[in-house]
Amino acid sequence: MARRRKEDALETRERILDAAIEVFDRRGVSRPSLTEIAELAGVTRGAVYGHFQNKADLFSALTDRIQLPDESLCQAPSEGCADPLGELRKRWTFMYRQVMVSEEWRRIFCIILLRCEWVAENGEIQQRCSEGHAEGTRRLRSLVETAVEVGQLPTDLNIAVVVPILHAGVLGLLQDWLMQPEAYNLAEVGEQQIDAMFEMMRNSRFLRKPSPTH
């Protein structure tokens, strides 16, 4: 009996998350109430609060299904990693392909990148996104630093400049595709973008550290 109750609770929780994806994707994050989500899920408002403290908690659980974009895109290199750029490329291409083939991934990324209004009432949600962005930046920097250490990138690479360029490039392409998914094949364009960014890091003189003045 206890096991059945636990299974029912998990089923209810997932139904609420499914309803939240539907509502947030259709109406944005700030406007809908938890009551609207509860009605779509076929549960009471009290049932929603039985699983989630507030809308921010619900949003966080929703993003945990795929991790926030920054957290999905960047993972710290494994110890002794000899091919950090290869790891980065594999993760980014997987993400591009997964967004194309998975309706859930597409909708959650769309909510985070296009439907999450930066308004006062979304303060806790903004904080969650900001924390994810900061963690993603830290992990990306670690990968680039490791790539320099193992000789995949120049020793004089200006990492402080490179990291935000890479970060913005990948998230920007994802956001652009979400706005017009029929315009091009995200996986194919994404692979070309990644290779172009890697070539840019290796060869662009504009991404080198300034020469010391004498």
Side-chain angles (χ1 to χ4, degrees):
M1 182 68 71
R3 181 178 177 181
R4 181 59 188 172
R5 284 198 297 269
K6 184 177 181 180
E7 290 174 352
D8 288 343
L10 289 174
E11 181 182 337
T12 298
R13 186 179 189 275
E14 292 306 303
R15 196 159 70 245
I16 293 168
L17 287 172
D18 289 339
I21 292 173
E22 174 68 29
V23 172
F24 289 160
D25 188 29
R26 188 161 30 90
R27 301 194 60 227
V29 175
S30 64
R31 286 182 298 170
S33 66
L34 292 182
T35 299
E36 184 173 344
I37 293 169
E39 289 174 352
L40 183 61
V43 300
T44 65
R45 183 182 174 91
V48 175
Y49 279 110
H51 291 276
F52 307 101
Q53 295 179 6
N54 49 35
K55 188 187 290 186
D57 189 34
L58 176 58
F59 176 86
S60 183
L62 181 153
T63 60
D64 283 343
R65 280 191 171 185
I66 61 167
Q67 298 185 312
L68 286 172
D70 295 294
E71 296 164 356
S72 302
L73 294 172
C74 309
Q75 295 290 333
S78 55
E79 187 174 349
C81 176
D83 184 19
L85 291 186
E87 284 196 19
L88 190 59
R89 189 181 195 279
K90 181 167 60 178
R91 292 166 189 163
W92 283 353
T93 53
F94 170 79
M95 184 273 303
Y96 285 144
R97 292 193 189 102
Q98 192 70 8
V99 172
M100 285 194 67
V101 301
S102 170
E103 178 72 9
E104 181 174 76
W105 276 57
R106 184 194 65 77
R107 298 188 81 171
I108 293 176
F109 271 121
C110 194
I111 289 166
I112 297 166
L113 295 175
L114 301 178
R115 308 282 192 262
C116 190
E117 307 91 333
W118 287 76
V119 293
E121 54 265 37
N122 281 353
E124 290 183 69
I125 293 173
Q126 292 171 21
Q127 182 179 353
R128 172 78 173 96
C129 292
S130 295
E131 290 171 354
H133 185 276
E135 179 64 14
T137 298
R138 186 190 66 77
R139 294 174 180 177
L140 178 56
R141 184 182 183 93
S142 179
L143 280 163
V144 174
E145 288 173 343
T146 304
V148 172
E149 291 170 4
V150 302
Q152 289 185 317
L153 294 173
T155 56
D156 62 344
L157 186 69
N158 192 336
I159 296 175
V161 172
V162 163
V163 169
I165 290 175
L166 294 179
H167 213 168
V170 175
L171 287 177
L173 181 64
L174 177 59
Q175 186 175 45
D176 181 79
W177 183 83
L178 288 169
M179 294 178 69
Q180 46 178 354
E182 304 302 323
Y184 53 88
N185 184 301
L186 176 62
E188 292 179 1
V189 174
E191 287 194 43
Q192 294 179 55
Q193 178 212 37
I194 294 164
D195 291 337
M197 290 193 298
F198 286 178
E199 182 178 358
M200 177 182 67
M201 285 193 291
R202 294 187 184 103
N203 301 315
S204 176
R205 64 185 178 88
F206 298 105
L207 298 180
R208 299 293 174 267
K209 293 177 182 177
S211 300
T213 56
H214 298 284

